[in-house]
Amino acid sequence: MGLRALVGTEGAGGVYVARGVQHDGCPTMVVPALSVLLHELCGHSPKRAAAVLLQTDWSRLYA
């Protein structure tokens, strides 16, 4: 059984854009997975990582 979470970014005017994530029941996996997204897949660009994160259907994280 997995856990559900929201991941997202804060836009202009304090408006948040978020996407649901299902992960494998270990809350300590979400932050490392997002770190891999930011540093290894998006070249340390928070702007690019946010775009990738919000464009992708993350129905499963580390599936």
Side-chain angles (χ1 to χ4, degrees):
M1 178 174 290
L3 299 174
R4 285 178 278 178
L6 290 174
V7 292
T9 60
E10 182 180 3
V15 175
Y16 287 87
V17 179
R19 183 173 292 282
V21 173
Q22 181 82 17
H23 58 95
D24 291 333
C26 182
T28 59
M29 295 301 288
V30 174
V31 172
L34 292 175
S35 180
V36 168
L37 174 72
L38 173 63
H39 298 294
E40 294 182 20
L41 301 177
C42 295
H44 308 287
S45 169
K47 196 173 211 175
R48 183 168 177 225
V52 169
L53 178 68
L54 295 173
Q55 289 173 3
T56 306
D57 176 15
W58 296 100
S59 58
R60 301 226 17 110
L61 189 62
Y62 279 151

